[in-house]
Amino acid sequence: MKATSSRQFSSTTSLILKLVGVILLLSSLVDYLVLLIPPNFLNRGWQINVTSDLVDRGIVPMVGMALIFVAFWMDTATEGAVKPSQPFTNLRFWVAVLASLLGLLYLLLFPLHLNNTRLARSEALTQINQQATQAQTQLENQISSEQFQQQIQQRKTQLKDQISGLTQNPDALNQALANPNLPQPVKEVLEQSKSNPKAIEEFLNQQADNLPTQLLTQIRDRKQELEQQAKTQSLKSSLRTGISSLLLAIGYITIGWTGLKGLGILRGGNRRKTPAA
């Protein structure tokens, strides 16, 4: 009685595992097809995005295959060896074939993604360099223009009036010196202006002379920052998606090879035979 109940439980569990496994496989295949629509195989960005999405979803079909093979193992453990049937009518055969195809797919995606990320990084660096060169050229033209010089002179006059107003008001000057948000160079100038009235003029002239260099330095710093970001993103994508794709390829190929070998299709595989009566 217990043996019958146990066999029924195993049979029910096996059926549920097969059902869940098949649903996972079919839903994954539908998901894969949706990712490929609309196709744009010549677009590198599309290839990178699709590869990343396929890798992110790669574990779901593997779980479904594992459930199906566990279900067949339970059937064998419960009912014993069964008479072999034609491979095309056996669910394990199609699961093993699908695993082999997915293994080949992820194996091909591995070098494809590495090459795409390398080319995308090269294009990004070229674009960053072009933008930085363009910004630097525009800045140099702007600096050499008369309008820019007039703006600098107006700004110098405004700052000079403001600072001079502070030096003429001791209370306001002390309050400004006590302000923690005031830049240290400005505080030093205010201190020096007490004994040297020309310190303000010298400071403003120095700042005006250094302004072009500061602006060019900002462009170069921004260029280096963007280049580092592009390199880091490319490296992360290559490692994450590339290595995951390679691991998925190994897993699927192992599942496919093991399944086909167990069915006796591959050399070295032995089909299960019914014991002689």
Side-chain angles (χ1 to χ4, degrees):
M1 186 69 177
K2 291 182 178 180
T4 302
S5 178
S6 177
R7 187 177 297 109
Q8 291 177 348
F9 175 77
S10 298
S11 178
T12 302
T13 304
S14 173
L15 180 61
I16 293 175
L17 291 177
K18 291 177 183 177
L19 179 61
V20 174
V22 170
I23 291 175
L24 288 176
L25 289 179
L26 293 179
S27 62
S28 298
L29 293 178
V30 172
D31 197 17
Y32 285 4
L33 291 176
V34 171
L35 287 176
L36 298 175
I37 299 175
N40 194 3
F41 299 105
L42 299 180
N43 186 284
R44 184 173 297 110
W46 180 86
Q47 292 179 12
I48 293 176
N49 292 332
V50 169
T51 300
S52 300
D53 291 337
L54 289 175
V55 171
D56 290 339
R57 293 162 170 79
I59 196 65
V60 177
M62 188 176 293
V63 173
M65 293 175 184
L67 294 178
I68 292 174
F69 279 109
V70 169
F72 278 105
W73 174 83
M74 292 179 61
D75 292 341
T76 302
T78 303
E79 302 175 3
V82 297
K83 183 178 180 180
S85 57
Q86 294 296 327
F88 299 107
T89 62
N90 194 320
L91 178 61
R92 286 180 296 178
F93 169 77
W94 294 108
V95 172
V97 170
L98 178 60
S100 301
L101 293 177
L102 289 178
L104 178 61
L105 171 65
Y106 285 108
L107 188 62
L108 295 176
L109 289 180
F110 173 64
L112 175 64
H113 184 73
L114 294 183
N115 185 60
N116 281 335
T117 52
R118 179 184 63 83
L119 295 176
R121 179 187 61 188
S122 178
E123 291 178 355
L125 294 177
T126 300
Q127 183 177 5
I128 292 171
N129 184 64
Q130 292 176 349
Q131 292 176 348
T133 302
Q134 182 179 3
Q136 183 173 342
T137 302
Q138 292 177 350
L139 177 61
E140 292 174 350
N141 294 334
Q142 183 179 4
I143 291 174
S144 60
S145 66
E146 182 178 355
Q147 182 180 3
F148 181 80
Q149 298 299 327
Q150 292 177 354
Q151 292 176 350
I152 294 297
Q153 189 63 37
Q154 291 176 359
R155 183 59 177 166
K156 284 173 56 178
T157 303
Q158 293 175 356
L159 290 175
K160 183 178 180 180
D161 294 340
Q162 293 176 358
I163 296 177
S164 298
L166 288 176
T167 58
Q168 296 174 4
N169 188 339
D171 294 335
L173 177 60
N174 293 330
Q175 185 178 1
L177 292 174
N179 186 0
N181 296 325
L182 189 67
Q184 185 62 31
V186 178
K187 290 183 179 181
E188 294 177 356
V189 170
L190 292 176
E191 290 286 356
Q192 295 174 5
S193 65
K194 295 179 181 179
S195 58
N196 181 16
K198 294 183 178 181
I200 298 175
E201 184 72 21
E202 294 174 354
F203 173 76
L204 293 177
N205 289 335
Q206 182 181 7
Q207 292 296 313
D209 294 338
N210 293 337
L211 180 60
T213 302
Q214 294 175 355
L215 295 176
L216 290 174
T217 301
Q218 292 177 0
I219 293 176
R220 296 190 184 100
D221 292 343
R222 180 57 177 169
K223 173 187 174 184
Q224 293 178 355
E225 180 183 354
L226 293 176
E227 287 178 343
Q228 186 62 38
Q229 290 179 358
K231 293 177 181 178
T232 302
Q233 292 176 357
S234 176
L235 179 61
K236 287 182 178 180
S237 178
S238 298
L239 292 176
R240 178 183 175 274
T241 304
I243 293 178
S244 297
S245 179
L246 183 60
L247 292 175
L248 288 171
I250 294 174
Y252 280 116
I253 291 175
T254 302
I255 292 174
W257 179 82
T258 304
L260 294 175
K261 181 180 178 182
L263 293 171
I265 296 177
L266 295 180
R267 182 176 298 179
N270 295 319
R271 293 189 180 182
R272 297 184 180 275
K273 298 181 179 179
T274 56

